[in-house]
Every structure is written in structure tokens, then in C-alpha cells.
Amino acid sequence: MNPHLRVTLVQTELEWQDPAANRHRLAAHFRGLLGHTDLVVLPEMFSTGFSMDASTLAEDMHGPTIEWMREEAAALGCVITGSLIVREADRCHNRLVWARPDGTLEHYDKRHLFRMANEQQHYAAGTRRLVTEIKGWRVCPLICYDLRFPVWSRSRGDYDLLLYV
């Protein structure tokens, strides 16, 4: 494992349900990061805010936000991750996307949906964890409320870093 992993956390105000404005705002935070970070971590539902309007706001895996993530990761030479609303077949997911600078993607669908906001009525729960690699670090990225379920995130010796957006 490489002992140095430079992580940039981006937390900013979001424009409610306005993906284009949020991509523009987030890109402004990326200025000056080239050569200074290995991983940019964006918030849960960074393109829309935590919305239950999944059917209106969902994009597919070739939508503008995923393409933006690919372009920004390539331009910065780093991984960009965060969650957004993704439609796959006839179901919507609160999906964490792991976008590498070479254009490849991995994803994790939030397993534990936030019942107090009725998230389960709008999103399908994920069924598998993701463990991915960056600079020799094995990373298990999860989303928000997954934090309340330690059995799901328990290390089986399969990751070095547990990351929640």
C-alpha cells in the first residue's frame, strides 16, 4: 500500500434539484487540484440534493452527470466519487459512482435506505458492497445511512479505508 493518499472532501451548498448548476458549482471547487489530490469525495446526491423525486431527476449511466464525472476525473488525473440518482431498467438507485481518470467506472447502490424520509418508496436498495482500489489502498465506499449498520461495513480483511459520502 502506498502510504500517501491525498483526499479532497468537497462540501458545498447545492442548488435544489438543479444538476447543471451543481456540476458548475462543484467544478469551480476543482480548480487548482490538478496534481494535488488522488481522490475527490462529493456528497450524497451531489447533483440534486437529497431528493425523493427520483422518477423526475434520475439519469442513466450515460447521462450528463456521469459524463461530467468522467471528464473531470480525466482532467484532474484523479478519482472522483459521490452519489447521485441513477435509473437502471425500471428502478432508481441512490448510486455512488467511482469515476477513474481513465474513464472506467464502478458503482455501489445504497443498501440501507433512510426510512424516516421514505427513501425506500423511491429507491431500490443495493445488494452488494464495493471494494475498489486506489494507489494500493483498498477502499470500501458507502453512503450516509449505511453508517448505522455496522455488520454491513465490518471489515473482513478486505479493505484498508472505509469511506462514507
Side-chain angles (χ1 to χ4, degrees), residues 115-149:
R115 294 200 178 277
M116 283 69 83
N118 294 314
E119 191 177 9
Q120 77 284 357
Q121 293 177 8
H122 307 277
Y123 298 93
T127 58
R128 65 171 186 82
R129 286 191 338 171
L130 170 66
V131 176
T132 189
E133 187 274 335
I134 180 172
K135 292 187 74 174
W137 288 77
R138 297 169 302 162
V139 181
C140 180
L142 298 170
I143 303 172
C144 193
Y145 197 57
D146 286 326
L147 180 70
R148 299 291 185 184
F149 301 88

PDB file of all heavy atoms in Angstrom, residues 115-149:
ATOM      1  N   ARG A 115     -35.440   5.329   6.091  1.00  0.00           N
ATOM      2  CA  ARG A 115     -36.893   5.158   6.196  1.00  0.00           C
ATOM      3  C   ARG A 115     -37.609   6.393   6.734  1.00  0.00           C
ATOM      4  O   ARG A 115     -38.761   6.631   6.387  1.00  0.00           O
ATOM      5  CB  ARG A 115     -37.218   3.939   7.053  1.00  0.00           C
ATOM      6  CG  ARG A 115     -36.770   2.652   6.397  1.00  0.00           C
ATOM      7  CD  ARG A 115     -37.480   1.434   6.944  1.00  0.00           C
ATOM      8  NE  ARG A 115     -37.064   0.224   6.255  1.00  0.00           N
ATOM      9  CZ  ARG A 115     -37.565  -0.195   5.104  1.00  0.00           C
ATOM     10  NH1 ARG A 115     -38.492   0.489   4.495  1.00  0.00           N
ATOM     11  NH2 ARG A 115     -37.126  -1.302   4.549  1.00  0.00           N
ATOM     12  N   MET A 116     -36.944   7.189   7.558  1.00  0.00           N
ATOM     13  CA  MET A 116     -37.597   8.383   8.096  1.00  0.00           C
ATOM     14  C   MET A 116     -37.924   9.395   6.998  1.00  0.00           C
ATOM     15  O   MET A 116     -38.776  10.248   7.173  1.00  0.00           O
ATOM     16  CB  MET A 116     -36.754   9.039   9.196  1.00  0.00           C
ATOM     17  CG  MET A 116     -36.853   8.295  10.539  1.00  0.00           C
ATOM     18  SD  MET A 116     -36.083   6.674  10.548  1.00  0.00           S
ATOM     19  CE  MET A 116     -34.398   7.084  10.860  1.00  0.00           C
ATOM     20  N   ALA A 117     -37.255   9.298   5.862  1.00  0.00           N
ATOM     21  CA  ALA A 117     -37.562  10.157   4.712  1.00  0.00           C
ATOM     22  C   ALA A 117     -38.297   9.363   3.625  1.00  0.00           C
ATOM     23  O   ALA A 117     -38.489   9.855   2.517  1.00  0.00           O
ATOM     24  CB  ALA A 117     -36.280  10.743   4.136  1.00  0.00           C
ATOM     25  N   ASN A 118     -38.682   8.128   3.940  1.00  0.00           N
ATOM     26  CA  ASN A 118     -39.364   7.233   2.991  1.00  0.00           C
ATOM     27  C   ASN A 118     -38.533   6.972   1.739  1.00  0.00           C
ATOM     28  O   ASN A 118     -39.081   6.788   0.649  1.00  0.00           O
ATOM     29  CB  ASN A 118     -40.745   7.779   2.623  1.00  0.00           C
ATOM     30  CG  ASN A 118     -41.662   7.775   3.815  1.00  0.00           C
ATOM     31  OD1 ASN A 118     -41.738   6.783   4.551  1.00  0.00           O
ATOM     32  ND2 ASN A 118     -42.344   8.884   4.043  1.00  0.00           N
ATOM     33  N   GLU A 119     -37.228   6.945   1.904  1.00  0.00           N
ATOM     34  CA  GLU A 119     -36.340   6.701   0.764  1.00  0.00           C
ATOM     35  C   GLU A 119     -36.673   5.363   0.087  1.00  0.00           C
ATOM     36  O   GLU A 119     -36.587   5.245  -1.141  1.00  0.00           O
ATOM     37  CB  GLU A 119     -34.875   6.737   1.229  1.00  0.00           C
ATOM     38  CG  GLU A 119     -33.871   6.756   0.112  1.00  0.00           C
ATOM     39  CD  GLU A 119     -32.432   6.875   0.580  1.00  0.00           C
ATOM     40  OE1 GLU A 119     -32.153   6.785   1.800  1.00  0.00           O
ATOM     41  OE2 GLU A 119     -31.570   7.055  -0.293  1.00  0.00           O
ATOM     42  N   GLN A 120     -37.089   4.380   0.864  1.00  0.00           N
ATOM     43  CA  GLN A 120     -37.398   3.051   0.327  1.00  0.00           C
ATOM     44  C   GLN A 120     -38.594   3.064  -0.629  1.00  0.00           C
ATOM     45  O   GLN A 120     -38.773   2.140  -1.416  1.00  0.00           O
ATOM     46  CB  GLN A 120     -37.623   2.045   1.462  1.00  0.00           C
ATOM     47  CG  GLN A 120     -38.967   2.147   2.157  1.00  0.00           C
ATOM     48  CD  GLN A 120     -39.094   3.316   3.133  1.00  0.00           C
ATOM     49  OE1 GLN A 120     -38.137   4.054   3.359  1.00  0.00           O
ATOM     50  NE2 GLN A 120     -40.271   3.476   3.724  1.00  0.00           N
ATOM     51  N   GLN A 121     -39.412   4.091  -0.587  1.00  0.00           N
ATOM     52  CA  GLN A 121     -40.552   4.190  -1.506  1.00  0.00           C
ATOM     53  C   GLN A 121     -40.135   4.724  -2.881  1.00  0.00           C
ATOM     54  O   GLN A 121     -40.909   4.642  -3.833  1.00  0.00           O
ATOM     55  CB  GLN A 121     -41.634   5.097  -0.918  1.00  0.00           C
ATOM     56  CG  GLN A 121     -42.285   4.521   0.312  1.00  0.00           C
ATOM     57  CD  GLN A 121     -43.300   5.472   0.927  1.00  0.00           C
ATOM     58  OE1 GLN A 121     -43.643   6.511   0.357  1.00  0.00           O
ATOM     59  NE2 GLN A 121     -43.785   5.119   2.107  1.00  0.00           N
ATOM     60  N   HIS A 122     -38.934   5.256  -2.973  1.00  0.00           N
ATOM     61  CA  HIS A 122     -38.484   5.898  -4.207  1.00  0.00           C
ATOM     62  C   HIS A 122     -37.247   5.244  -4.815  1.00  0.00           C
ATOM     63  O   HIS A 122     -36.960   5.475  -5.998  1.00  0.00           O
ATOM     64  CB  HIS A 122     -38.194   7.373  -3.946  1.00  0.00           C
ATOM     65  CG  HIS A 122     -39.352   8.079  -3.310  1.00  0.00           C
ATOM     66  ND1 HIS A 122     -40.397   8.575  -4.047  1.00  0.00           N
ATOM     67  CD2 HIS A 122     -39.645   8.334  -1.999  1.00  0.00           C
ATOM     68  CE1 HIS A 122     -41.284   9.124  -3.232  1.00  0.00           C
ATOM     69  NE2 HIS A 122     -40.838   8.999  -1.984  1.00  0.00           N
ATOM     70  N   TYR A 123     -36.529   4.478  -4.011  1.00  0.00           N
ATOM     71  CA  TYR A 123     -35.261   3.897  -4.448  1.00  0.00           C
ATOM     72  C   TYR A 123     -35.217   2.409  -4.130  1.00  0.00           C
ATOM     73  O   TYR A 123     -35.756   1.970  -3.115  1.00  0.00           O
ATOM     74  CB  TYR A 123     -34.076   4.584  -3.753  1.00  0.00           C
ATOM     75  CG  TYR A 123     -33.982   6.042  -4.091  1.00  0.00           C
ATOM     76  CD1 TYR A 123     -34.594   7.001  -3.288  1.00  0.00           C
ATOM     77  CD2 TYR A 123     -33.327   6.459  -5.238  1.00  0.00           C
ATOM     78  CE1 TYR A 123     -34.543   8.351  -3.620  1.00  0.00           C
ATOM     79  CE2 TYR A 123     -33.274   7.804  -5.569  1.00  0.00           C
ATOM     80  CZ  TYR A 123     -33.883   8.737  -4.759  1.00  0.00           C
ATOM     81  OH  TYR A 123     -33.832  10.060  -5.091  1.00  0.00           O
ATOM     82  N   ALA A 124     -34.526   1.660  -4.979  1.00  0.00           N
ATOM     83  CA  ALA A 124     -34.269   0.249  -4.729  1.00  0.00           C
ATOM     84  C   ALA A 124     -32.971   0.133  -3.946  1.00  0.00           C
ATOM     85  O   ALA A 124     -31.991   0.819  -4.243  1.00  0.00           O
ATOM     86  CB  ALA A 124     -34.167  -0.506  -6.048  1.00  0.00           C
ATOM     87  N   ALA A 125     -32.974  -0.736  -2.961  1.00  0.00           N
ATOM     88  CA  ALA A 125     -31.774  -0.949  -2.144  1.00  0.00           C
ATOM     89  C   ALA A 125     -30.757  -1.786  -2.903  1.00  0.00           C
ATOM     90  O   ALA A 125     -31.113  -2.701  -3.653  1.00  0.00           O
ATOM     91  CB  ALA A 125     -32.145  -1.646  -0.841  1.00  0.00           C
ATOM     92  N   GLY A 126     -29.489  -1.481  -2.668  1.00  0.00           N
ATOM     93  CA  GLY A 126     -28.422  -2.280  -3.257  1.00  0.00           C
ATOM     94  C   GLY A 126     -28.277  -3.602  -2.534  1.00  0.00           C
ATOM     95  O   GLY A 126     -28.797  -3.785  -1.430  1.00  0.00           O
ATOM     96  N   THR A 127     -27.565  -4.512  -3.153  1.00  0.00           N
ATOM     97  CA  THR A 127     -27.403  -5.847  -2.580  1.00  0.00           C
ATOM     98  C   THR A 127     -25.949  -6.262  -2.395  1.00  0.00           C
ATOM     99  O   THR A 127     -25.683  -7.308  -1.819  1.00  0.00           O
ATOM    100  CB  THR A 127     -28.087  -6.900  -3.472  1.00  0.00           C
ATOM    101  OG1 THR A 127     -27.511  -6.832  -4.785  1.00  0.00           O
ATOM    102  CG2 THR A 127     -29.584  -6.655  -3.547  1.00  0.00           C
ATOM    103  N   ARG A 128     -25.013  -5.448  -2.874  1.00  0.00           N
ATOM    104  CA  ARG A 128     -23.604  -5.836  -2.746  1.00  0.00           C
ATOM    105  C   ARG A 128     -22.734  -4.648  -2.359  1.00  0.00           C
ATOM    106  O   ARG A 128     -23.018  -3.514  -2.714  1.00  0.00           O
ATOM    107  CB  ARG A 128     -23.085  -6.448  -4.044  1.00  0.00           C
ATOM    108  CG  ARG A 128     -23.051  -5.477  -5.194  1.00  0.00           C
ATOM    109  CD  ARG A 128     -22.335  -6.033  -6.422  1.00  0.00           C
ATOM    110  NE  ARG A 128     -22.222  -5.003  -7.436  1.00  0.00           N
ATOM    111  CZ  ARG A 128     -21.291  -4.058  -7.469  1.00  0.00           C
ATOM    112  NH1 ARG A 128     -20.363  -4.000  -6.541  1.00  0.00           N
ATOM    113  NH2 ARG A 128     -21.268  -3.151  -8.434  1.00  0.00           N
ATOM    114  N   ARG A 129     -21.672  -4.968  -1.609  1.00  0.00           N
ATOM    115  CA  ARG A 129     -20.683  -3.946  -1.269  1.00  0.00           C
ATOM    116  C   ARG A 129     -19.702  -3.820  -2.422  1.00  0.00           C
ATOM    117  O   ARG A 129     -19.522  -4.739  -3.203  1.00  0.00           O
ATOM    118  CB  ARG A 129     -19.897  -4.358  -0.021  1.00  0.00           C
ATOM    119  CG  ARG A 129     -20.635  -4.243   1.241  1.00  0.00           C
ATOM    120  CD  ARG A 129     -19.806  -4.403   2.481  1.00  0.00           C
ATOM    121  NE  ARG A 129     -18.547  -5.124   2.352  1.00  0.00           N
ATOM    122  CZ  ARG A 129     -17.642  -5.199   3.312  1.00  0.00           C
ATOM    123  NH1 ARG A 129     -17.852  -4.600   4.458  1.00  0.00           N
ATOM    124  NH2 ARG A 129     -16.541  -5.866   3.147  1.00  0.00           N
ATOM    125  N   LEU A 130     -19.060  -2.678  -2.459  1.00  0.00           N
ATOM    126  CA  LEU A 130     -17.983  -2.450  -3.410  1.00  0.00           C
ATOM    127  C   LEU A 130     -16.698  -2.278  -2.619  1.00  0.00           C
ATOM    128  O   LEU A 130     -16.665  -1.520  -1.646  1.00  0.00           O
ATOM    129  CB  LEU A 130     -18.263  -1.173  -4.222  1.00  0.00           C
ATOM    130  CG  LEU A 130     -17.124  -0.641  -5.098  1.00  0.00           C
ATOM    131  CD1 LEU A 130     -16.805  -1.616  -6.223  1.00  0.00           C
ATOM    132  CD2 LEU A 130     -17.475   0.728  -5.656  1.00  0.00           C
ATOM    133  N   VAL A 131     -15.666  -2.970  -3.008  1.00  0.00           N
ATOM    134  CA  VAL A 131     -14.320  -2.691  -2.516  1.00  0.00           C
ATOM    135  C   VAL A 131     -13.495  -2.441  -3.766  1.00  0.00           C
ATOM    136  O   VAL A 131     -13.437  -3.277  -4.667  1.00  0.00           O
ATOM    137  CB  VAL A 131     -13.739  -3.849  -1.682  1.00  0.00           C
ATOM    138  CG1 VAL A 131     -12.297  -3.539  -1.288  1.00  0.00           C
ATOM    139  CG2 VAL A 131     -14.585  -4.102  -0.439  1.00  0.00           C
ATOM    140  N   THR A 132     -12.909  -1.252  -3.835  1.00  0.00           N
ATOM    141  CA  THR A 132     -12.149  -0.855  -5.008  1.00  0.00           C
ATOM    142  C   THR A 132     -10.749  -0.431  -4.576  1.00  0.00           C
ATOM    143  O   THR A 132     -10.451  -0.396  -3.379  1.00  0.00           O
ATOM    144  CB  THR A 132     -12.901   0.256  -5.775  1.00  0.00           C
ATOM    145  OG1 THR A 132     -12.249   0.488  -7.028  1.00  0.00           O
ATOM    146  CG2 THR A 132     -13.013   1.534  -4.963  1.00  0.00           C
ATOM    147  N   GLU A 133      -9.910  -0.095  -5.526  1.00  0.00           N
ATOM    148  CA  GLU A 133      -8.513   0.189  -5.218  1.00  0.00           C
ATOM    149  C   GLU A 133      -8.103   1.535  -5.797  1.00  0.00           C
ATOM    150  O   GLU A 133      -8.530   1.924  -6.870  1.00  0.00           O
ATOM    151  CB  GLU A 133      -7.649  -0.929  -5.818  1.00  0.00           C
ATOM    152  CG  GLU A 133      -6.185  -0.857  -5.444  1.00  0.00           C
ATOM    153  CD  GLU A 133      -5.375   0.047  -6.372  1.00  0.00           C
ATOM    154  OE1 GLU A 133      -5.775   0.245  -7.522  1.00  0.00           O
ATOM    155  OE2 GLU A 133      -4.355   0.575  -5.914  1.00  0.00           O
ATOM    156  N   ILE A 134      -7.279   2.239  -5.018  1.00  0.00           N
ATOM    157  CA  ILE A 134      -6.648   3.469  -5.484  1.00  0.00           C
ATOM    158  C   ILE A 134      -5.271   3.572  -4.825  1.00  0.00           C
ATOM    159  O   ILE A 134      -5.157   3.511  -3.600  1.00  0.00           O
ATOM    160  CB  ILE A 134      -7.516   4.722  -5.196  1.00  0.00           C
ATOM    161  CG1 ILE A 134      -6.817   5.988  -5.692  1.00  0.00           C
ATOM    162  CG2 ILE A 134      -7.906   4.819  -3.753  1.00  0.00           C
ATOM    163  CD1 ILE A 134      -7.674   7.241  -5.618  1.00  0.00           C
ATOM    164  N   LYS A 135      -4.225   3.656  -5.650  1.00  0.00           N
ATOM    165  CA  LYS A 135      -2.840   3.791  -5.182  1.00  0.00           C
ATOM    166  C   LYS A 135      -2.476   2.735  -4.143  1.00  0.00           C
ATOM    167  O   LYS A 135      -1.783   3.023  -3.169  1.00  0.00           O
ATOM    168  CB  LYS A 135      -2.602   5.197  -4.639  1.00  0.00           C
ATOM    169  CG  LYS A 135      -2.644   6.273  -5.710  1.00  0.00           C
ATOM    170  CD  LYS A 135      -2.229   7.605  -5.168  1.00  0.00           C
ATOM    171  CE  LYS A 135      -0.719   7.618  -4.947  1.00  0.00           C
ATOM    172  NZ  LYS A 135      -0.219   8.930  -4.557  1.00  0.00           N
ATOM    173  N   GLY A 136      -2.967   1.515  -4.326  1.00  0.00           N
ATOM    174  CA  GLY A 136      -2.661   0.434  -3.410  1.00  0.00           C
ATOM    175  C   GLY A 136      -3.565   0.363  -2.195  1.00  0.00           C
ATOM    176  O   GLY A 136      -3.474  -0.581  -1.413  1.00  0.00           O
ATOM    177  N   TRP A 137      -4.417   1.343  -2.015  1.00  0.00           N
ATOM    178  CA  TRP A 137      -5.387   1.344  -0.913  1.00  0.00           C
ATOM    179  C   TRP A 137      -6.649   0.613  -1.373  1.00  0.00           C
ATOM    180  O   TRP A 137      -7.194   0.918  -2.435  1.00  0.00           O
ATOM    181  CB  TRP A 137      -5.768   2.773  -0.529  1.00  0.00           C
ATOM    182  CG  TRP A 137      -4.702   3.538   0.172  1.00  0.00           C
ATOM    183  CD1 TRP A 137      -3.593   4.108  -0.392  1.00  0.00           C
ATOM    184  CD2 TRP A 137      -4.648   3.849   1.557  1.00  0.00           C
ATOM    185  NE1 TRP A 137      -2.857   4.751   0.561  1.00  0.00           N
ATOM    186  CE2 TRP A 137      -3.487   4.611   1.772  1.00  0.00           C
ATOM    187  CE3 TRP A 137      -5.482   3.562   2.636  1.00  0.00           C
ATOM    188  CZ2 TRP A 137      -3.122   5.082   3.020  1.00  0.00           C
ATOM    189  CZ3 TRP A 137      -5.126   4.035   3.879  1.00  0.00           C
ATOM    190  CH2 TRP A 137      -3.955   4.781   4.071  1.00  0.00           C
ATOM    191  N   ARG A 138      -7.132  -0.293  -0.558  1.00  0.00           N
ATOM    192  CA  ARG A 138      -8.414  -0.945  -0.819  1.00  0.00           C
ATOM    193  C   ARG A 138      -9.483  -0.150  -0.076  1.00  0.00           C
ATOM    194  O   ARG A 138      -9.420  -0.004   1.137  1.00  0.00           O
ATOM    195  CB  ARG A 138      -8.395  -2.394  -0.329  1.00  0.00           C
ATOM    196  CG  ARG A 138      -7.356  -3.255  -1.054  1.00  0.00           C
ATOM    197  CD  ARG A 138      -7.180  -4.588  -0.389  1.00  0.00           C
ATOM    198  NE  ARG A 138      -6.783  -4.374   1.005  1.00  0.00           N
ATOM    199  CZ  ARG A 138      -6.878  -5.286   1.960  1.00  0.00           C
ATOM    200  NH1 ARG A 138      -7.336  -6.486   1.715  1.00  0.00           N
ATOM    201  NH2 ARG A 138      -6.501  -5.006   3.204  1.00  0.00           N
ATOM    202  N   VAL A 139     -10.447   0.387  -0.836  1.00  0.00           N
ATOM    203  CA  VAL A 139     -11.440   1.307  -0.292  1.00  0.00           C
ATOM    204  C   VAL A 139     -12.829   0.685  -0.402  1.00  0.00           C
ATOM    205  O   VAL A 139     -13.198   0.162  -1.453  1.00  0.00           O
ATOM    206  CB  VAL A 139     -11.422   2.655  -1.053  1.00  0.00           C
ATOM    207  CG1 VAL A 139     -12.448   3.621  -0.478  1.00  0.00           C
ATOM    208  CG2 VAL A 139     -10.023   3.268  -1.024  1.00  0.00           C
ATOM    209  N   CYS A 140     -13.585   0.773   0.692  1.00  0.00           N
ATOM    210  CA  CYS A 140     -14.983   0.351   0.715  1.00  0.00           C
ATOM    211  C   CYS A 140     -15.829   1.614   0.850  1.00  0.00           C
ATOM    212  O   CYS A 140     -15.980   2.142   1.946  1.00  0.00           O
ATOM    213  CB  CYS A 140     -15.241  -0.602   1.876  1.00  0.00           C
ATOM    214  SG  CYS A 140     -16.957  -1.166   1.984  1.00  0.00           S
ATOM    215  N   PRO A 141     -16.362   2.131  -0.272  1.00  0.00           N
ATOM    216  CA  PRO A 141     -17.186   3.343  -0.205  1.00  0.00           C
ATOM    217  C   PRO A 141     -18.649   2.992   0.055  1.00  0.00           C
ATOM    218  O   PRO A 141     -19.209   2.096  -0.588  1.00  0.00           O
ATOM    219  CB  PRO A 141     -16.990   3.964  -1.590  1.00  0.00           C
ATOM    220  CG  PRO A 141     -16.735   2.800  -2.490  1.00  0.00           C
ATOM    221  CD  PRO A 141     -16.075   1.736  -1.639  1.00  0.00           C
ATOM    222  N   LEU A 142     -19.263   3.700   0.984  1.00  0.00           N
ATOM    223  CA  LEU A 142     -20.667   3.500   1.338  1.00  0.00           C
ATOM    224  C   LEU A 142     -21.362   4.855   1.379  1.00  0.00           C
ATOM    225  O   LEU A 142     -20.721   5.901   1.227  1.00  0.00           O
ATOM    226  CB  LEU A 142     -20.775   2.777   2.678  1.00  0.00           C
ATOM    227  CG  LEU A 142     -20.154   1.365   2.712  1.00  0.00           C
ATOM    228  CD1 LEU A 142     -20.102   0.835   4.139  1.00  0.00           C
ATOM    229  CD2 LEU A 142     -20.898   0.418   1.814  1.00  0.00           C
ATOM    230  N   ILE A 143     -22.672   4.836   1.618  1.00  0.00           N
ATOM    231  CA  ILE A 143     -23.452   6.069   1.553  1.00  0.00           C
ATOM    232  C   ILE A 143     -24.205   6.296   2.857  1.00  0.00           C
ATOM    233  O   ILE A 143     -24.965   5.444   3.313  1.00  0.00           O
ATOM    234  CB  ILE A 143     -24.457   6.030   0.386  1.00  0.00           C
ATOM    235  CG1 ILE A 143     -23.733   5.798  -0.941  1.00  0.00           C
ATOM    236  CG2 ILE A 143     -25.277   7.322   0.329  1.00  0.00           C
ATOM    237  CD1 ILE A 143     -24.665   5.545  -2.118  1.00  0.00           C
ATOM    238  N   CYS A 144     -24.001   7.439   3.448  1.00  0.00           N
ATOM    239  CA  CYS A 144     -24.735   8.016   4.562  1.00  0.00           C
ATOM    240  C   CYS A 144     -25.299   7.023   5.577  1.00  0.00           C
ATOM    241  O   CYS A 144     -24.609   6.561   6.450  1.00  0.00           O
ATOM    242  CB  CYS A 144     -25.822   8.942   4.024  1.00  0.00           C
ATOM    243  SG  CYS A 144     -26.549  10.003   5.297  1.00  0.00           S
ATOM    244  N   TYR A 145     -26.579   6.688   5.448  1.00  0.00           N
ATOM    245  CA  TYR A 145     -27.289   5.902   6.463  1.00  0.00           C
ATOM    246  C   TYR A 145     -26.713   4.490   6.628  1.00  0.00           C
ATOM    247  O   TYR A 145     -26.961   3.844   7.637  1.00  0.00           O
ATOM    248  CB  TYR A 145     -28.776   5.858   6.113  1.00  0.00           C
ATOM    249  CG  TYR A 145     -29.685   5.440   7.246  1.00  0.00           C
ATOM    250  CD1 TYR A 145     -29.697   6.147   8.452  1.00  0.00           C
ATOM    251  CD2 TYR A 145     -30.538   4.362   7.111  1.00  0.00           C
ATOM    252  CE1 TYR A 145     -30.540   5.780   9.486  1.00  0.00           C
ATOM    253  CE2 TYR A 145     -31.391   3.992   8.132  1.00  0.00           C
ATOM    254  CZ  TYR A 145     -31.385   4.699   9.320  1.00  0.00           C
ATOM    255  OH  TYR A 145     -32.215   4.336  10.338  1.00  0.00           O
ATOM    256  N   ASP A 146     -25.936   4.014   5.658  1.00  0.00           N
ATOM    257  CA  ASP A 146     -25.252   2.726   5.817  1.00  0.00           C
ATOM    258  C   ASP A 146     -24.418   2.712   7.092  1.00  0.00           C
ATOM    259  O   ASP A 146     -24.160   1.650   7.663  1.00  0.00           O
ATOM    260  CB  ASP A 146     -24.333   2.446   4.625  1.00  0.00           C
ATOM    261  CG  ASP A 146     -25.066   2.065   3.353  1.00  0.00           C
ATOM    262  OD1 ASP A 146     -26.124   1.407   3.431  1.00  0.00           O
ATOM    263  OD2 ASP A 146     -24.561   2.418   2.266  1.00  0.00           O
ATOM    264  N   LEU A 147     -24.015   3.884   7.548  1.00  0.00           N
ATOM    265  CA  LEU A 147     -23.212   4.019   8.762  1.00  0.00           C
ATOM    266  C   LEU A 147     -23.884   3.385   9.976  1.00  0.00           C
ATOM    267  O   LEU A 147     -23.216   2.908  10.887  1.00  0.00           O
ATOM    268  CB  LEU A 147     -22.945   5.503   9.025  1.00  0.00           C
ATOM    269  CG  LEU A 147     -22.129   5.869  10.248  1.00  0.00           C
ATOM    270  CD1 LEU A 147     -20.690   5.438  10.054  1.00  0.00           C
ATOM    271  CD2 LEU A 147     -22.189   7.364  10.492  1.00  0.00           C
ATOM    272  N   ARG A 148     -25.207   3.363  10.001  1.00  0.00           N
ATOM    273  CA  ARG A 148     -25.959   2.843  11.149  1.00  0.00           C
ATOM    274  C   ARG A 148     -26.017   1.320  11.199  1.00  0.00           C
ATOM    275  O   ARG A 148     -26.636   0.765  12.092  1.00  0.00           O
ATOM    276  CB  ARG A 148     -27.388   3.390  11.123  1.00  0.00           C
ATOM    277  CG  ARG A 148     -27.450   4.892  11.223  1.00  0.00           C
ATOM    278  CD  ARG A 148     -27.026   5.334  12.575  1.00  0.00           C
ATOM    279  NE  ARG A 148     -27.190   6.781  12.704  1.00  0.00           N
ATOM    280  CZ  ARG A 148     -26.814   7.435  13.760  1.00  0.00           C
ATOM    281  NH1 ARG A 148     -26.261   6.816  14.777  1.00  0.00           N
ATOM    282  NH2 ARG A 148     -26.986   8.736  13.817  1.00  0.00           N
ATOM    283  N   PHE A 149     -25.397   0.659  10.234  1.00  0.00           N
ATOM    284  CA  PHE A 149     -25.477  -0.797  10.136  1.00  0.00           C
ATOM    285  C   PHE A 149     -24.062  -1.384  10.080  1.00  0.00           C
ATOM    286  O   PHE A 149     -23.565  -1.723   9.010  1.00  0.00           O
ATOM    287  CB  PHE A 149     -26.313  -1.193   8.909  1.00  0.00           C
ATOM    288  CG  PHE A 149     -27.700  -0.624   8.986  1.00  0.00           C
ATOM    289  CD1 PHE A 149     -27.972   0.646   8.487  1.00  0.00           C
ATOM    290  CD2 PHE A 149     -28.713  -1.339   9.598  1.00  0.00           C
ATOM    291  CE1 PHE A 149     -29.246   1.192   8.588  1.00  0.00           C
ATOM    292  CE2 PHE A 149     -29.991  -0.802   9.701  1.00  0.00           C
ATOM    293  CZ  PHE A 149     -30.257   0.462   9.196  1.00  0.00           C
TER     294      PHE A 149
END
